[in-house]
Amino acid sequence: MPRRRTLLPPDQRRQQLLQAATWVFARKGYRRAGISDIIARAGVARGTFYLYFDSKEQVFLAIVEDFRQRLSRAITTTSETPQPAMDPEALLRASFRRWLGWFADNRDATKVILKEASSIDPRFEQGFADLRRAAVDFFAARYRSFQQLGFVRPSIRPVLMAHLLIGMFDELLNAFVLTDPDADLNALAAQLADFEWNGIRPQ
């Protein structure tokens, strides 16, 4: 007897295909992966794939856009403004843990975006630039709030600090989070917070 396929609403089926494609691209890379790999992972017929996407490139574009939207929402809806009674190092530790956790929860998509997208199509560059600017604005605003409360040195430019943090975070994602599913995110966050705090607090 042939296996009966589960009927899903269109939105859920599209998301299923996106998740399957993300899994495949993260392991095989965009160029080596094929639509046959994606439909095998999703457990659907080839015709089902073409109901939602015209090509491998189109499903890849959808993955990039979905990631960009979700990360943008995470940035714009997260508040990390310090208050006078807060422990600044604890706030930094919680912030690093939150973001490490977000990327760990989206490990496959992050691999695809960081390692594949920018080299495949120049159209992706604008989306990356927009995300980078949003992240810089977010971390610069947080550092500016720390300065206003006297928690950190006023001599460091907030935008410079934001770029330093993002570069450091990118490297740690590649070195630890994306390569090790069992990475100790709490320990990583604590070490990051210790490193940042001891570099920026007033002498």
Side-chain angles (χ1 to χ4, degrees), residues 79-92 95 138-152 197:
S79 175
E80 294 186 355
T81 303
Q83 302 299 322
M86 285 183 175
D87 175 354
E89 187 174 4
L91 178 62
L92 292 174
S95 172
F138 175 84
F139 286 112
R142 187 186 71 178
Y143 190 78
R144 199 172 292 113
S145 297
F146 273 63
Q147 286 179 321
Q148 291 168 352
L149 290 171
F151 288 156
V152 300
W197 178 238

Side-chain angles (χ1 to χ4, degrees), residues 124-198:
F124 301 142
E125 291 296 334
Q126 185 59 49
F128 289 132
D130 292 343
L131 273 179
R132 185 71 64 170
R133 277 193 296 272
V136 167
D137 291 346
F138 175 84
F139 286 112
R142 187 186 71 178
Y143 190 78
R144 199 172 292 113
S145 297
F146 273 63
Q147 286 179 321
Q148 291 168 352
L149 290 171
F151 288 156
V152 300
R153 284 188 275 166
S155 59
I156 302 175
R157 290 174 55 208
V159 172
L160 173 63
M161 191 66 206
H163 281 286
L164 289 171
L165 281 174
I166 291 169
M168 181 171 64
F169 200 82
D170 281 352
E171 181 62 27
L172 288 172
L173 282 179
N174 280 308
F176 297 100
V177 179
L178 299 186
T179 57
D180 182 7
D182 300 317
D184 188 339
L185 303 185
N186 290 324
L188 274 176
Q191 291 179 49
L192 275 168
D194 177 66
F195 178 81
E196 183 183 357
W197 178 238
N198 283 297

Side-chain angles (χ1 to χ4, degrees), residues 16-25 28 33-44 49 53 55-57 59-60 63:
Q16 178 196 27
L17 288 166
L18 280 179
Q19 290 172 351
T22 302
W23 188 94
V24 170
F25 290 143
K28 299 192 72 170
I35 291 174
S36 58
D37 298 308
I38 297 170
I39 62 177
R41 175 66 184 175
V44 300
F49 177 90
F53 303 103
S55 62
K56 181 176 76 167
E57 180 190 40
V59 73
F60 189 88
I63 291 169

